[in-house]
Amino acid sequence: MDTLGKTITCLAAIAWKTNSSLSLEEVQVEPPKAGEVRIKMISTGICGSDDHAIKGIIPLKYPFIPGHEGAGIVESIGEGVSSVKPGDKVLTLIVPQCRECSACLNPKGNFCEKQDILPSSGLMLDGTSRFTCKGEKIYHSFRTSTFSEYTVVPEISVVKIDAAAPMDKICVISCEVPTGYGAAVHSAKVTPGSTCVVFGLGGIGSAIVMGCKASGASRIIGVDINEEKFPRARALGVTDCLNPSNLKKPVQEAVKEMTGIGVDFAFEAIGLAETMVAAWDSCHVSHGVCIIIGVSPPNSKFSLSAQTVSTGRTLKGVCLGDYKTKDCFPQLVTAYLQNKINIDPLITHQLPFDQLHKAFELYHAGKTIRCVLLF
């Protein structure tokens, strides 16, 4: 079928209003404009950020097509696009890399100023949408919207990857792997023999655990209120599991008792103020490093004892493992193909896209690390 320059009608998932279940609909996807790329999606993962968006925790404009952790093949390109061509295997990028803004130009920055997360416009860079359904404009999520058989993204939000990449799995390198694994190995730079605690043992937390283990951590404490996650977490490298709801003391006190004085590295992958404080309080007062990865609801705040800040420990927020997305994600794909990192244990379920609702049931029940939807 020749689709070049034509509007494509395909299946997509739409969130029509806050906290409603997704609706599978026929949508119209316009051709890419200048500086844009239209992608035929092959796989997409269900990430906590998508669930947060659907629930309204991350405010987006309704109705919208969710999804950001995606792998696909370029169907067509708009005028001026040079980094990808039709037929290329690509990953979608929730955080783009424009290579022009202050964040991109700084060696340590990766939260590109052209991102569409905080805040979200739900529109492409020119202020318009490429999706319609039943005659109504449908908004984009994070300028990726991977819960659709076809999507349109800016060129800065897509990157070409190795042609040998297995497209049914590689989508997790679009978010889960850099966000979790990267937080441990690239942002925190976990050291051999160190002690770590991970708050939240979902997809991102599981990837953090793998990163801590790969870095040679001697003890990894996993914290979660869902004990069904514990066997999988132990298989990935967790040495001790804690359920805060079963403790008669604050979880940070339990962590300090277990370690003697606190951990070397604490990771928060939940996005709640109280778990952020608990992660901070779990750190060694002198050299502990607290990494905040979880995305919080708008206007939420957390407070720390001012006296505890000057003792030497570090608090750091991390997005996508501090990786510059277009530069680094293809390198992660190559590392996987060369057996330098193993993403396979992070994917516990694969389902056809039309079984989206079953996939979300597994996610909400905590029965999956990452469920990948296949188109």
Side-chain angles (χ1 to χ4, degrees), residues 190-196 212 215-219 264-265:
V190 168
T191 50
S194 59
T195 56
C196 304
C212 292
S215 300
S218 64
R219 191 171 192 183
D264 301 306
F265 300 95

Side-chain angles (χ1 to χ4, degrees), residues 199 251-252 266 273-283:
F199 287 80
V251 66
Q252 52 265 51
E274 55 265 36
T275 46
M276 292 178 181
V277 174
W280 169 262
D281 288 340
S282 297
C283 285

Side-chain angles (χ1 to χ4, degrees), residues 276-337:
M276 292 178 181
V277 174
W280 169 262
D281 288 340
S282 297
C283 285
H284 190 288
V285 295
S286 174
H287 60 259
V289 178
C290 180
I291 301 287
I292 305 295
I293 301 151
V295 179
S296 304
N299 303 317
S300 62
K301 293 177 170 60
F302 67 94
S303 59
L304 306 174
S305 165
Q307 201 172 44
T308 66
V309 176
S310 61
T311 58
R313 76 185 107 174
T314 303
L315 179 69
K316 178 174 170 53
V318 171
C319 175
L320 292 170
D322 284 328
Y323 291 114
K324 290 184 182 290
T325 50
K326 282 178 84 80
D327 290 347
C328 299
F329 284 15
Q331 297 173 8
L332 291 173
V333 172
T334 302
Y336 169 64
L337 293 174

Side-chain angles (χ1 to χ4, degrees), residues 3 12 135 141-142 185 241 269 307 325:
T3 54
S141 65
F142 316 130
V185 303
C241 294
Q307 201 172 44
T325 50

Side-chain angles (χ1 to χ4, degrees), residues 91 115 117 141 205 212 271:
L91 294 178
Q115 56 80 28
I117 309 167
S141 65
C212 292

